[in-house]
Amino acid sequence: MTSIGGASTGMVDWNLAVATATRLVRPGPEVSRDEARAVVAELRRHAKASEEHVRGFTRLGTEEGHDTPVLVVDRPGWIRANVAGFREILRPLLDKMQERRGSSAGGAVMSAVGGKVTGVELGMLLSFLASRVLGQYETFAPATRELPAGENGGGRLLLVAPNIVHVERELDVDPHDFRLWVCLHEETHRTQFTAVPWLRDHLEGEIQSFLGETDVDPMTVLERVREAAQSLAGGRPEAEEDDGGRSFVEIVQTPAQREILGRLTAVMSLLEGHADFVMDGVGPAVVPSVGEIREKFQQRRAKGASRLDLALRKLLGLDAKLRQYRDGERFVRAVVDEVGMDGFNRVWTSPNTLPTKSEIAKPADWVARVHRKAE
């Protein structure tokens, strides 16, 4: 196994997290070697075709700037990529927690438990998520020997082939249409970040400000990881009910963090909703069965696979992500209906033209602020 880089010990043993997740992740659907090659080749073709479809529909981006690679990966590949990304973005928070290890009771306990236990439990969570993600644009992806990334801090686009095959079979939809449909969504995210150069730095600044405000006892974080891991193992049956449990994000909020989180929520709602809007807008022209796919996928997304899924989605904050798709898509659709695609694209002018959390819920307020003022 390739090391994630740097020392593996500390608050989290990252290499052990990769090893644990890779060992525990469920095998993908059964496919022959020839079928697997065909799926990978088709996903690469669809990813390439999606660039033109998305740029034409959104009127964003040009050929230059699309230096971010498209990687068709399996579940272990997704795990390795995400651990590298997590390590990069969480480094300031973990360094801060490391400094507190010896100066508080929670820090002492964390020191005793050690980064290896945390690595195992993080690996359990990643093994759960690795079988569910269809694709992902990794915004803060450090390049590794196995996983290249774009130059100058650019990201990479991941397509998780076994998960795409699993879902297309589960939904009983046309596999070629479904694969293109997924690629359209993920290519929209790649276009957002390559066509809007300031967006990555803005997001990273907001995330680091959020983490910089964190003043949480290390033991609290460990307990939250353990709760999620025990849910996976069936150790907390009460978690299947809505017991008021808090997500990871909710346990580290100060007043300043709540303001930052409100801005981050609005941006993520915009990005996810925009991708859904583009996927549906382009779909009818290039994906013949888009209506059937959308209906079946929405039903699957809403209900989750099980009660355990629902409990974990809440604990990990994934229920909030589902709301982001829905609320963001409504915002984009309403704005485009009001001022057209070029009018909507003013959203990408600067951080000041991004919608606020309240404007996501009331698109007319964003139109009034950005368009009426300009006029």
Side-chain angles (χ1 to χ4, degrees):
M1 180 189 70
T2 301
S3 171
I4 295 303
S8 63
T9 56
M11 298 301 292
V12 181
D13 187 330
W14 297 103
N15 291 330
L16 186 56
V18 171
T20 301
T22 301
R23 186 175 68 252
L24 294 179
V25 71
R26 284 184 264 174
E30 290 187 12
V31 294
S32 67
R33 187 180 297 272
D34 287 344
E35 185 180 2
R37 288 198 187 102
V39 170
V40 170
E42 183 172 21
L43 286 172
R44 286 177 176 152
R45 288 196 305 272
H46 284 331
K48 182 64 178 175
S50 294
E51 293 181 27
E52 185 176 347
H53 294 318
V54 170
R55 285 199 300 268
F57 184 81
T58 64
R59 303 175 194 170
L60 288 175
T62 61
E63 288 291 345
E64 65 180 71
H66 267 65
D67 68 328
T68 54
V70 177
L71 307 179
V72 181
V73 298
D74 57 9
R75 291 169 179 176
W78 180 88
I79 289 166
R80 288 192 296 271
N82 275 265
V83 167
F86 289 155
R87 181 170 188 163
E88 188 73 17
I89 202 70
L90 292 176
R91 191 185 303 275
L93 174 63
L94 294 179
D95 286 348
K96 181 178 180 179
M97 292 171 66
Q98 180 79 34
E99 292 174 2
R100 295 187 54 180
R101 270 180 129 176
S103 61
S104 69
V109 172
M110 176 68 86
S111 184
V113 172
K116 290 191 179 299
V117 172
T118 311
V120 168
E121 293 179 333
L122 177 60
M124 293 176 70
L125 295 180
L126 288 169
S127 71
F128 168 80
L129 295 172
S131 62
R132 284 156 174 77
V133 176
L134 300 181
Q136 174 184 358
Y137 182 76
E138 277 202 295
T139 315
F140 309 108
T144 67
R145 186 176 59 194
E146 293 180 329
L147 297 162
E151 297 178 3
N152 302 318
R156 56 181 166 237
L157 181 60
L158 304 179
L159 297 169
V160 191
N163 295 350
I164 293 172
V165 172
H166 171 77
V167 173
E168 70 193 24
R169 290 178 179 179
E170 180 185 301
L171 297 181
D172 190 25
V173 294
D174 182 281
H176 309 293
D177 284 2
F178 184 75
R179 293 165 196 173
L180 177 54
W181 190 72
V182 171
C183 288
L184 289 170
H185 181 101
E186 303 308 331
E187 176 58 34
T188 302
H189 286 317
R190 186 164 73 141
T191 296
Q192 289 163 347
F193 283 93
T194 55
V196 186
W198 55 264
L199 185 57
R200 180 190 182 278
D201 289 342
H202 173 70
L203 263 184
E204 184 174 20
E206 292 280 53
I207 291 170
Q208 293 304 336
S209 295
F210 181 88
L211 296 177
E213 288 287 336
T214 298
D215 188 24
V216 64
D217 177 64
M219 191 59 193
T220 306
V221 175
L222 177 60
E223 287 174 349
R224 193 60 55 194
V225 173
R226 181 163 293 145
E227 279 185 27
Q230 288 174 347
S231 293
L232 284 173
R236 293 183 70 246
E238 71 276 8
E240 294 183 2
E241 303 299 330
D242 187 1
D243 58 2
R246 295 176 298 163
S247 73
F248 281 108
V249 169
E250 292 171 318
I251 67 171
V252 292
Q253 285 188 54
T254 64
Q257 281 180 312
R258 280 193 289 274
E259 289 186 20
I260 298 168
L261 188 62
R263 296 195 297 269
L264 279 171
T265 299
V267 175
M268 297 311 296
S269 296
L270 170 69
L271 298 180
E272 295 294 358
H274 184 235
D276 267 12
F277 177 79
V278 172
M279 184 168 60
D280 288 346
V282 174
V286 297
V287 183
S289 60
V290 64
E292 177 192 3
I293 291 173
R294 183 63 154 153
E295 181 180 357
K296 289 183 174 180
F297 193 78
Q298 286 287 65
Q299 291 172 356
R300 181 183 187 275
R301 182 188 274 174
K303 70 182 182 182
S306 67
R307 290 167 66 83
L308 177 60
D309 262 6
L310 295 175
L312 281 163
R313 285 195 330 209
K314 179 175 180 60
L315 185 62
L316 299 173
L318 300 182
D319 52 343
K321 186 174 179 66
L322 297 178
R323 288 194 298 273
Q324 288 170 4
Y325 285 110
R326 185 175 60 247
D327 298 345
E329 197 273 343
R330 279 200 294 256
F331 170 84
V332 176
R333 187 171 300 280
V335 172
V336 172
D337 286 347
E338 177 72 18
V339 295
M341 184 63 74
D342 290 335
F344 165 79
N345 281 340
R346 288 195 191 178
V347 78
W348 312 116
T349 304
S350 75
N352 293 330
T353 56
L354 291 171
T356 64
K357 190 175 179 181
S358 64
E359 286 171 343
I360 288 288
K362 296 181 178 179
D365 289 355
W366 180 87
V367 172
R369 177 171 69 86
V370 173
H371 282 266
R372 304 293 180 257
K373 274 187 179 179
E375 292 168 4

